[in-house]
Amino acid sequence: MELIGYLACASIGISLGLIGAGGSILMVPVLVFLFDMPPILATSYSLFVVGITSFFAATGKFRKGDVLIGSALAFGLTSMIVVVAIRHFIIPVMPKSFGHLGNAPVSYDLLCIVLFACLMILAAIVMINKGRKDDVENIPANGNLLSTIPYALLVGIVTGFLGAGGGFMLIPVMTLLLGMDIKKAVGTSLAVIALNSLSGFVNDLDHVDINWKFLLIISAIALVGSVAGARLADRINSKRLKACFGWFILILGILIITREGYNFLKIMN
């Protein structure tokens, strides 16, 4: 299973390099189901892998002029405050159990993985719909940075609690509300994801025991994958790929909810 897990980390990096978003949504399930890691710990590891991979990807985009620093800081600082508050004040005091339904305990780990599966389904729907449409370029802005604050807060909540980057939410907001072309939206969103994820991980260091050897190995694998994905990006139809990847995430999210629901009902009865 570990070999499959390492291959999955490489595929996450490849997807990030190819389409700029969506790959990080798989990191927590990979850590939980293939490396047998508790969901809450998996979110910490995911923050680092997603953060460091997004950072290097954003660096490459920046050299091409596809990162708008002002927008990245304005959006990122708002969401980063939420991430830091959640990881520093809320996660360390979260109860391990929220009571029982019948004979089955409603644990935080169960809620975390089910919520993550729901997030996967939401991300998949967005990716499938975007994959069916033409790339969004040069759309007149329907708002300004102030209008993005609710979305920045939402991204911060998702990253803080679940360890996902939120690129599937960031890119539509930046294209539709800020009028960015798709390349700049991808580059800027990567910068925001890196800022949020790494700040959240740093806040976990005082209450999480990190296996640095393992973390650096999976991060390096994801990074190599992202470099390979970036080099393939110009040769592959990213629109069709995004839709196919969305369907994969959708099916996986449904399977996770079905699996956890079945196990929960079995304990109840």
Side-chain angles (χ1 to χ4, degrees), residues 194-210:
L195 184 65
N196 288 344
S197 300
L198 292 176
S199 62
F201 175 77
V202 168
N203 272 274
D204 284 3
L205 292 177
D206 62 347
H207 60 268
V208 174
D209 291 327
I210 301 296

Side-chain angles (χ1 to χ4, degrees), residues 52-156:
I52 203 70
T53 308
S54 298
F55 173 79
F56 280 100
T59 301
K61 298 289 185 182
F62 178 77
R63 287 197 294 266
K64 296 178 181 179
D66 289 334
V67 177
L68 301 181
I69 298 297
S71 298
L73 288 176
F75 200 103
L77 290 175
T78 301
S79 52
M80 185 184 72
I81 291 171
V82 179
V83 173
V84 171
I86 290 172
R87 303 303 297 189
H88 188 77
F89 296 108
I90 299 178
I91 294 297
V93 298
M94 288 290 288
K96 293 183 178 180
S97 177
F98 294 89
H100 289 72
L101 282 178
N103 296 322
V106 182
S107 65
Y108 177 78
D109 284 352
L110 174 64
L111 287 178
C112 183
I113 201 64
V114 169
L115 285 173
F116 205 94
C118 292
L119 181 67
M120 292 172 68
I121 293 172
L122 175 62
I125 292 171
V126 172
M127 294 177 71
I128 291 168
N129 288 334
K130 294 294 291 182
R132 287 174 176 169
K133 299 175 183 177
D134 292 331
D135 284 340
V136 182
E137 296 204 29
N138 302 320
I139 296 176
N142 295 321
N144 50 42
L145 282 172
L146 289 177
S147 67
T148 67
I149 289 177
Y151 301 97
L153 296 175
L154 181 59
V155 168

Side-chain angles (χ1 to χ4, degrees), residues 216-230:
L216 292 176
I217 287 173
I218 60 175
S219 299
I221 292 172
L223 278 172
V224 171
S226 70
V227 171

Side-chain angles (χ1 to χ4, degrees), residues 161-186:
F161 279 113
L162 300 178
F168 69 95
M169 292 184 288
L170 284 165
I171 293 174
V173 169
M174 290 178 175
T175 52
L176 298 176
L177 288 183
L178 300 180
M180 293 184 193
D181 67 75
I182 189 65
K183 290 183 178 179
K184 286 183 171 53
V186 169

